[in-house]
Amino acid sequence: MIERAATCLENGGKHILHIPKKPFRKYRSLHSAFWSHGAGDINLPAWWHAFLQVPSDTNHFWASKDNPVTLRRKASDNAPLRFLDFLYPRQTLAFIHKCVSENTATLQRRRRLQILSQRSRAYTSSADTSADEPSNKDIAADNTLVRSALEDGASGAVAGEAVPDPRVKLHELLFNEEGSTTMHQLWRIYQQTQESSLSLDPGDLDALFKKLNASQWTIDLERTRELLDSVAPSSRRASHYTCAISASLKLDEWKRAVDMHQEAALRVQGSFGSSLVFLYVVLHSEWEAATAVWQQFWDNRKAYFGPPDIWDGFDGLTLTSRMRRAQGAAQYANSRIKDSNVADTARARHLARSLMQRTLQVRRTDFEYSSQKLMLAEAQHMERPGFLDYKNAIIQNFDIAKSENSRVHLQWGFQLYRMLRTELNMLPDAELVKGFLRKAYFFDSLQGMYEAIEDYRKQPEGIDRWAYRILMSGLARNGDFDTVNQLFQEAINRFGTENLPRYAMELLHACFRRAEVDRAIGTLEWLKEKYNYLPDLQAWHILLRTYSRVGDCDGVMALFEKLVEANIRPDSSTYAILMNIFARVGDYDATSTLYERAISEGIEINAEMVACLVLAQTSSGRSDEAVETVEEAMKMGLGIAEHSVAHLSGDHTRTRIWNTLLTHYAMEGQLDRVSETQKRMQSNNVAFDGYTYAALMQAFVLKDKSMIPYAHKILKDVMPKAQVPATALHYGILINGYQAAKNYVAVFSLYQRMLNRGLRPTSSVQVPFMKAASMIDEREREREQEQEQEREQLDQHAEGDVVEEATRATRAEKILTQTLDSLDSMELAGLSPTKGQQSNPVNVALYASYFPYLIQLYGRKRLFEKVVDLYVKFIAMTRERNPDLEASPPVELLSALMVSYNKAGEHEETEKCWQLALEKATEIACKADADTTQPGWVLYKYRFLLTLPLTRYMTSLQAMSRIDEIEPLLASLQQAGFQLSTPNRNRYIQILAEEGRGIQAFELCERELMDGWPGWGALGPIRMVKRKLQTQWNPRSWEIGRRFPQYTSLVYLAGLYLEAQAMAYGRGTKLLREYDRVAPRVVDAIVKMPSFSDPVQERILKR
């Protein structure tokens, strides 16, 4: 009601006094100062001043135009005109008296200030949200300030003193270090300065702009723009525009900010918020405005001598975001190609190119490579980027390609480099070629190093010293002896023999990687003769490692004696190399002898020597001693075998020692010991590396096929999280596991994934891949055939089968052909272990891994011509690259040939293969300095070396009716140190049963196999027996030393038992009693055997 009354008074005053109309603002709520009687803040109308004036004479006329009225005061009434002052608070009354004493000019200034304050949204209902209004604390503080000011003004008016200058108070509040000043206080005092027509100091004005702009309140941001409006255009500075532009952008009024920026570009010089406007419009893809701001900025730069600031905000974005913005600018420029305004199109293109070039200059910052790819592709549509753009893009990828996790950036960088060379026909400069070679060397890209050689030769200065050294080292690491030799001679011709020792070592290193002893020795002799090269200890080490790689124990010891004769003192690494070759074959005696010799000569024991000692202990069956050695090695300064172990610190050395023990348990299938060892490694803070994870994967794969997914999880999730790169070894372990589990889809998927990662397939990957391909062929043939015929009918049509089989196994044969065509000694360059290598040295395993499977496969299918062709191909390859293999083929290949010869009935050839296998086993498995005529000369590690060929040879002896030779043969092998596997014993029992030697078969089964028999009850319900039989009695899944009867052996013995029951009463009863006497557990097992309608029981028991 009071508000409406005030409005009526105001309107009435206008009609009476005919004052000019002013822009009044209606309030919907009472002023906050009203309730505290802050009358100084009330917007009083102009006529109220006249109403308060006391007439100076007795007559005062208040008149209108048409009806003048004279108000006469009585002369006798001399009493002063008084108000009802008891209705007013003291400060309000003081304000009224002040207004009475002021003149019209002062009131007009006050009026202008009141109108200015009415523009504020602080006390009106027009505010968007309550969050924009000052807090109660601010209002109370402001009321206190105003109240004190009014009191001071009233007292000053009464005493006749001057009113204090509000600029002093404003300065104090602006630079108040306590930070208790509110923005509301600052604004009110600023209004007082405007009311008094006082000009602010430029420094105070700048500070006020900054404080208002720094506020988070909407009202303060609006006040920033009002402040700019109140400043005369000639007095506006660049900093004023910056704050006002920033406030507008915070209010999301970017168009007004752009207008302010345009005005600033015309009025002032310097930095006036260009970076803020530019960043905003770029982020919001307002490319037309961005182009305008861009042009205005550079036009202003002509008179601006400071550093450019338009990139300040843009440079703060992530690199991926900058690439996307540059792509958007290029898209906008491309859309303006057909625009008639050529100048605007040119400016848009210039902006897009500037954004892209600025983005490509960033270094060592991660980004999404796809964003860079899209940006360059869009720039191609606008105009082809220049050489510098591609160079910056390539280096940008190379700068962050420092690990396997950033391989995608490396591949994209390589792709850009090759695009630059081929598609764009641009020659990379020396700096770019150097960066490319550095990454190719780091990531072991053979193709990349070849390309770097080609590009270096096109440079005016050619290949420099650094490039020669890197190229020779990288190519030697990959076993490319020919290219290393060529680079060696070029470097010597250009730069002399200054770096001869370094270059010579790379030549020898290439021979070592290729496992070519003869070439290494020949290269050393050539260097001595032509360049008077004298090998140092490091060169001797390379030669020793070359002998060690091919498993030549005698050769490595002979070379060691030459080293000593050359007056070169061996060190810890020398003895570690010697110990390693004997530790790998499991010769603990020779390894420990070298260890003791090193100690006696005062050689410091290092981690490599300790690791070799642990390997020798695990390979010779001394697992407990190996555990003790590892534990003592972890105790710094404590002894191993009563000797001090020094300098065994560092994660790498500790990990290597523990990995040796972990790998041993994994290969033995002892999952519980693997888990225990892993936990101990974690408790000792031993870092995991690639070999650690390979051992864990191997343990899961060997334990059971149901645990293969756990191994796959290590490869897929655990290793990437630990930033450990996957190698062909890890893929080989998984592929072998899935192939054994007959999950061929997983085999092909993993193989493709490995190729996509740029990994070179090794034999450990190719062989199971080839097996999976052959099984796929077999399944397809089975689907094409009709219902399976009786076994007797298949035997009658054996010739037809041979003709049909001649067209099969195509996938496996194609894989083998492709592999052999690309086979080279460079495949041996990798030093990581290769699964499936078994007892063979690397130069033998290269050929022994591929041929045996297909030879055995073709032999079983009676494809004898293909067997002969494969063997001839094997001889041709080995004759050229490893002549020793022709006279002494690997044991695995001989075993495969024996299968083929047995099927063909060529038992004399089978016997020749057996003799060759014995010779090869003597060469590999004999202990150092052992006499093969004495018992126990076989190394523990190779005790099962003859398992496969022995089974084939026993089958051949049975066919030749020489089964009496089997038992003495087994006895001689066991005396030498070879052990019989469960398949060997079961096959011998089956041979005895087939030949009718029942008592001997029963007795052998009882003595050798029944200790591991679990019993039929352990197999569970009868419906599950057959499935468990297939898993438990699959020879490929047995632990090699585990003993229990094979399902087929029990069926053979059951057949003998049934025959005894069918005999005449007296003879049959006597034979059954004899069976019960010599083999009670065997009889119990065959009596309780479930009956199955499977081919084995149907064929043997003839049911």
Side-chain angles (χ1 to χ4, degrees):
M1 185 175 94
I2 298 177
E3 185 179 13
R4 288 198 297 271
T7 305
C8 294
L9 287 174
E10 183 175 311
N11 295 333
K14 291 179 184 179
H15 288 293
I16 295 174
L17 297 180
H18 301 284
I19 60 176
K21 293 185 178 179
K22 300 291 184 179
F24 294 105
R25 187 168 190 173
K26 297 181 180 180
Y27 283 65
R28 296 183 182 177
S29 60
L30 292 179
H31 193 284
S32 58
F34 181 89
W35 301 108
S36 59
H37 304 287
D41 291 333
I42 298 177
N43 186 12
L44 297 175
W47 60 267
W48 182 249
H49 175 263
F51 177 74
L52 293 176
Q53 297 295 325
V54 179
S56 56
D57 53 9
T58 57
N59 295 326
H60 188 81
F61 296 93
W62 293 49
S64 63
K65 181 177 179 180
D66 300 327
N67 185 23
V69 179
T70 302
L71 298 180
R72 183 176 299 274
R73 187 180 177 188
K74 295 181 181 180
S76 59
D77 191 1
N78 294 326
L81 182 65
R82 298 188 59 86
F83 298 100
L84 299 177
D85 51 359
F86 60 88
L87 295 177
Y88 298 93
R90 181 172 56 86
Q91 62 269 27
T92 306
L93 190 62
F95 174 73
I96 294 174
H97 288 300
K98 181 179 179 182
C99 291
V100 170
S101 63
E102 288 179 346
N103 55 28
T104 306
T106 303
L107 287 176
Q108 291 295 333
R109 286 197 302 270
R110 180 183 296 277
R111 181 62 182 166
R112 286 197 300 269
L113 185 59
Q114 290 173 343
I115 294 172
L116 178 63
S117 66
Q118 286 176 353
R119 296 177 185 173
S120 172
R121 298 167 59 188
Y123 310 118
T124 70
S125 59
S126 60
D128 293 338
T129 60
S130 60
D132 295 331
E133 297 183 3
S135 63
N136 293 333
K137 179 180 179 182
D138 295 340
I139 296 173
D142 187 52
N143 288 338
T144 303
L145 180 65
V146 174
R147 186 181 302 113
S148 61
L150 290 175
E151 291 175 355
D152 294 340
S155 61
V158 174
E161 298 178 357
V163 179
D165 191 344
R167 291 177 296 181
V168 178
K169 188 64 174 178
L170 180 64
H171 179 82
E172 293 177 356
L173 295 178
L174 284 172
F175 299 97
N176 183 12
E177 297 181 356
E178 296 180 359
S180 59
T181 305
T182 64
M183 301 305 301
H184 193 61
Q185 290 175 303
L186 290 175
W187 186 249
R188 283 305 180 191
I189 297 178
Y190 171 73
Q191 288 177 330
Q192 292 180 17
T193 62
Q194 293 298 301
E195 174 186 354
S196 303
S197 300
L198 300 175
S199 61
L200 291 181
D201 180 77
D204 292 347
L205 185 60
D206 288 345
L208 182 58
F209 265 108
K210 292 178 182 179
K211 279 188 173 291
L212 290 173
N213 184 47
S215 175
Q216 300 298 322
W217 298 100
T218 302
I219 182 176
D220 295 329
L221 299 177
E222 291 178 345
R223 285 168 175 171
T224 306
R225 298 187 305 192
E226 294 173 9
L227 182 60
L228 180 67
D229 294 338
S230 67
V231 177
S234 59
S235 302
R236 295 175 185 175
R237 296 183 176 182
S239 59
H240 301 166
Y241 281 106
T242 301
C243 293
I245 289 173
S246 174
S248 297
L249 294 176
K250 291 178 182 178
L251 295 172
D252 289 330
E253 298 180 8
W254 64 270
K255 292 184 178 180
R256 186 169 180 180
V258 171
D259 294 339
M260 289 182 183
H261 183 271
Q262 183 178 6
E263 178 186 340
L266 297 174
R267 292 183 178 275
V268 300
Q269 296 178 357
S271 176
F272 42 76
S274 299
S275 61
L276 300 177
V277 185
F278 185 71
L279 175 62
Y280 189 95
V281 293
V282 166
L283 282 176
H284 292 78
S285 300
E286 299 292 343
W287 296 114
E288 184 176 356
T291 305
V293 172
W294 173 262
Q295 190 63 35
Q296 293 163 10
F297 169 78
W298 288 108
D299 290 343
N300 178 264
R301 281 279 295 149
K302 297 176 182 178
Y304 176 36
F305 301 101
D309 68 340
I310 198 168
W311 298 113
D312 291 346
F314 183 78
D315 291 343
L317 301 176
T318 63
L319 185 53
T320 300
S321 179
R322 278 179 271 185
M323 290 177 177
R324 291 172 179 169
R325 300 304 179 273
Q327 177 193 354
Q331 289 176 343
Y332 172 74
N334 290 331
S335 67
R336 296 290 302 270
I337 291 178
K338 298 182 180 180
D339 196 336
S340 58
N341 193 333
V342 179
D344 290 345
T345 302
R347 284 193 289 268
R349 291 163 66 92
H350 181 253
L351 172 62
R353 285 198 54 79
S354 300
L355 287 174
M356 184 183 69
Q357 291 173 354
R358 184 78 177 186
T359 300
L360 292 176
Q361 292 174 1
V362 180
R363 296 289 182 267
R364 298 178 179 85
T365 304
D366 196 7
F367 62 93
E368 296 179 5
Y369 90 99
S370 59
S371 299
Q372 188 193 75
K373 189 174 183 178
L374 293 173
M375 179 186 68
L376 292 175
E378 195 65 42
Q380 284 274 13
H381 297 155
M382 182 177 63
E383 63 181 18
R384 191 177 75 176
F387 169 78
L388 187 60
D389 297 330
Y390 277 104
K391 177 181 177 180
N392 288 332
I394 293 170
I395 295 177
Q396 203 170 53
N397 283 279
F398 286 170
D399 279 346
I400 62 173
K402 299 181 182 301
S403 65
E404 287 291 329
N405 295 331
S406 57
R407 179 174 287 273
V408 62
H409 291 92
L410 178 76
Q411 293 174 348
W412 172 237
F414 279 6
Q415 184 177 344
L416 283 175
Y417 184 86
R418 288 161 185 153
M419 184 188 305
L420 186 71
R421 297 174 71 247
T422 57
E423 298 181 13
L424 305 178
N425 295 322
M426 296 182 183
L427 177 64
D429 58 13
E431 180 187 5
L432 185 57
V433 178
K434 184 176 182 179
F436 176 75
L437 175 58
R438 184 180 287 111
K439 291 305 173 183
Y441 175 81
F442 181 80
F443 287 92
D444 203 19
S445 172
L446 193 59
Q447 179 184 356
M449 285 184 275
Y450 290 148
E451 292 171 342
I453 293 175
E454 181 181 350
D455 291 340
Y456 261 118
R457 296 192 190 281
K458 297 177 181 179
Q459 302 297 323
E461 60 276 7
I463 306 177
D464 56 18
R465 287 183 173 87
W466 176 87
Y468 272 120
R469 186 173 67 253
I470 293 298
L471 286 169
M472 292 174 66
S473 176
L475 295 173
R477 188 171 59 194
N478 285 274
D480 189 356
F481 178 82
D482 295 335
T483 308
V484 173
N485 188 25
Q486 180 183 359
L487 293 173
F488 170 83
Q489 297 185 28
E490 287 182 10
I492 294 297
N493 294 334
R494 290 187 59 189
F495 304 112
T497 59
E498 178 183 357
N499 291 324
L500 177 63
R502 176 65 181 270
Y503 296 156
M505 286 184 61
E506 300 301 346
L507 277 175
L508 297 175
H509 191 216
C511 299
F512 158 68
R513 290 285 187 158
R514 297 172 65 92
E516 295 177 349
V517 175
D518 294 339
R519 177 174 283 185
I521 298 298
T523 301
L524 180 61
E525 296 298 330
W526 175 72
L527 290 171
K528 288 180 180 179
E529 180 181 352
K530 188 170 183 178
Y531 300 103
N532 296 322
Y533 172 70
L534 295 178
D536 56 6
L537 184 59
Q538 299 299 322
W540 283 102
H541 284 173
I542 294 176
L543 292 175
L544 289 172
R545 288 192 177 97
T546 307
Y547 277 97
S548 178
R549 291 204 78 192
V550 300
D552 190 353
C553 298
D554 296 335
V556 77
M557 292 306 298
L559 188 65
F560 176 69
E561 296 301 329
K562 291 182 181 180
L563 182 150
V564 176
E565 292 174 1
N567 295 323
I568 296 178
R569 175 177 170 79
D571 60 3
S572 302
S573 298
T574 310
Y575 276 97
I577 297 170
L578 299 176
M579 293 174 63
N580 180 64
I581 186 172
F582 292 103
R584 284 192 288 108
V585 300
D587 194 341
Y588 174 73
D589 296 334
T591 306
S592 59
T593 300
L594 287 170
Y595 182 77
E596 297 295 336
R597 178 177 174 178
I599 294 175
S600 64
E601 294 180 1
I603 302 297
E604 185 180 27
I605 305 300
N606 64 4
E608 287 78 10
M609 297 175 66
V610 176
C612 291
L613 186 64
V614 174
L615 177 60
Q617 290 169 338
T618 55
S619 300
S620 60
R622 296 175 170 85
S623 300
D624 295 337
E625 296 181 18
V627 174
E628 295 177 1
T629 303
V630 171
E631 290 179 346
E632 293 180 6
M634 293 301 102
K635 301 175 182 178
M636 302 297 299
L638 297 182
I640 296 180
E642 301 179 357
H643 296 286
S644 175
V645 179
H647 306 298
L648 294 181
S649 61
D651 289 340
H652 174 71
T653 54
R654 290 161 40 125
T655 302
R656 180 176 178 181
I657 295 173
W658 279 98
N659 281 348
T660 305
L661 186 62
L662 190 68
T663 303
H664 166 71
Y665 290 140
M667 297 304 296
E668 293 290 331
Q670 302 182 32
L671 189 59
D672 53 342
R673 300 294 295 272
V674 170
S675 178
E676 178 185 351
T677 305
Q678 176 197 4
K679 292 178 181 178
R680 295 175 67 180
M681 291 177 67
Q682 292 176 336
S683 62
N684 287 297
N685 295 323
V686 179
F688 286 13
D689 61 5
Y691 298 133
T692 309
Y693 290 111
L696 296 175
M697 293 171 62
Q698 187 72 72
F700 285 122
V701 169
L702 291 179
K703 186 63 178 179
D704 189 73
K705 67 179 182 180
S706 62
M707 306 191 76
I708 297 178
Y710 294 106
H712 199 166
K713 185 176 182 180
I714 293 177
L715 176 68
K716 184 179 179 181
D717 299 331
V718 179
M719 293 178 62
K721 186 176 181 180
Q723 297 185 352
V724 176
T727 64
L729 172 65
H730 302 94
Y731 282 96
I733 292 172
L734 264 185
I735 289 176
N736 275 272
Y738 280 122
Q739 188 274 326
K742 300 182 179 180
N743 188 349
Y744 304 123
V745 175
V747 171
F748 291 118
S749 176
L750 280 172
Y751 187 85
Q752 185 62 45
R753 180 182 175 188
M754 186 186 70
L755 294 180
N756 293 339
R757 289 179 59 85
L759 296 177
R760 184 187 307 170
T762 60
S763 58
S764 62
V765 176
Q766 291 287 79
V767 172
F769 183 68
M770 186 170 56
K771 291 180 180 180
S774 66
M775 295 306 298
I776 293 294
D777 289 334
E778 188 69 25
R779 287 185 177 182
E780 289 182 356
R781 289 194 296 268
E782 290 177 357
R783 286 195 295 266
E784 294 172 359
Q785 292 175 349
E786 298 178 355
Q787 294 293 333
E788 187 176 338
Q789 301 178 358
E790 297 292 332
R791 190 174 300 275
E792 292 80 8
Q793 295 177 350
L794 291 175
D795 293 337
Q796 293 175 3
H797 299 283
E799 281 190 19
D801 287 343
V802 172
V803 176
E804 186 182 1
E805 292 289 347
T807 61
R808 297 177 181 174
T810 55
R811 282 194 180 91
E813 194 169 359
K814 286 181 180 180
I815 294 172
L816 178 65
T817 302
Q818 294 173 359
T819 303
L820 296 180
D821 289 342
S822 61
L823 197 62
D824 186 79
S825 297
M826 288 176 61
E827 184 176 339
L828 303 178
L831 292 180
S832 61
T834 302
K835 180 175 173 55
Q837 183 174 314
Q838 298 178 358
S839 60
N840 299 304
V842 291
N843 60 333
V844 178
L846 176 64
Y847 311 103
S849 302
Y850 296 106
F851 289 93
Y853 174 73
L854 276 185
I855 289 179
Q856 180 175 326
L857 177 67
Y858 291 148
R860 286 177 175 173
K861 297 181 179 301
R862 303 178 185 274
L863 302 176
F864 305 120
E865 293 183 0
K866 289 195 173 185
V867 172
V868 174
D869 292 341
L870 281 176
Y871 187 69
V872 169
K873 185 180 290 188
F874 169 79
I875 294 298
M877 294 184 64
T878 56
R879 183 178 296 157
E880 177 183 356
R881 298 169 182 170
N882 197 343
D884 296 336
L885 290 182
E886 181 179 0
S888 180
V891 175
E892 294 82 6
L893 182 63
L894 293 171
S895 177
L897 288 171
M898 292 170 73
V899 173
S900 178
Y901 289 140
N902 284 342
K903 288 289 185 180
E906 300 178 6
H907 298 291
E908 293 180 358
E909 297 297 328
T910 301
E911 189 161 9
K912 290 180 182 179
C913 290
W914 170 251
Q915 295 301 326
L916 289 174
L918 280 178
E919 294 176 6
K920 192 68 176 180
T922 303
E923 175 187 346
I924 295 175
C926 184
K927 297 179 180 178
D929 302 327
D931 186 1
T932 56
T933 61
Q934 300 297 322
W937 55 268
V938 176
L939 291 168
Y940 178 83
K941 181 178 180 178
Y942 298 113
R943 63 193 185 279
F944 294 108
L945 181 61
L946 294 175
T947 294
L948 290 177
L950 178 59
T951 301
R952 282 54 162 155
Y953 185 52
M954 287 191 297
T955 302
S956 180
L957 290 176
Q958 179 189 10
M960 293 187 292
S961 301
R962 293 164 53 185
I963 62 174
D964 292 334
E965 299 179 14
I966 297 178
E967 188 169 354
L969 173 64
L970 298 180
S972 63
L973 291 175
Q974 289 178 311
Q975 185 179 14
F978 291 104
Q979 291 187 16
L980 304 180
S981 65
T982 299
N984 294 143
R985 293 184 171 89
N986 276 278
R987 182 58 188 143
Y988 185 35
I989 291 172
Q990 294 169 18
I991 291 174
L992 292 175
E994 289 175 349
E995 296 299 323
R997 302 189 181 189
I999 296 178
Q1000 189 177 356
F1002 271 86
E1003 184 180 5
L1004 180 62
C1005 183
E1006 180 75 20
R1007 183 178 70 249
E1008 299 290 343
L1009 301 178
M1010 292 308 293
D1011 290 341
W1013 168 244
W1016 299 105
L1019 300 177
I1022 190 65
R1023 65 180 183 276
M1024 301 295 296
V1025 169
K1026 188 173 182 179
R1027 179 181 301 178
K1028 292 188 177 182
L1029 287 176
Q1030 292 174 349
T1031 57
Q1032 287 199 10
W1033 288 333
N1034 182 358
R1036 288 176 296 182
S1037 64
W1038 284 348
E1039 296 178 12
I1040 197 161
R1042 185 180 177 187
R1043 298 185 183 184
F1044 50 83
Q1046 189 180 0
Y1047 171 62
T1048 306
S1049 300
L1050 291 177
V1051 175
Y1052 269 109
L1053 295 177
L1056 292 176
Y1057 197 83
L1058 291 176
E1059 289 179 2
Q1061 288 180 338
M1063 290 180 183
Y1065 180 78
R1067 183 181 175 185
T1069 303
K1070 182 178 179 181
L1071 191 57
L1072 291 174
R1073 289 176 180 175
E1074 190 66 18
Y1075 289 160
D1076 290 334
R1077 184 184 67 82
V1078 300
R1081 290 180 295 180
V1082 176
V1083 172
D1084 180 71
I1086 62 178
V1087 169
K1088 297 179 180 179
M1089 178 189 299
S1091 177
F1092 301 110
S1093 58
D1094 61 345
V1096 178
Q1097 290 195 18
E1098 290 178 358
R1099 177 173 59 86
I1100 298 175
L1101 303 181
K1102 299 179 181 179
R1103 294 181 178 177

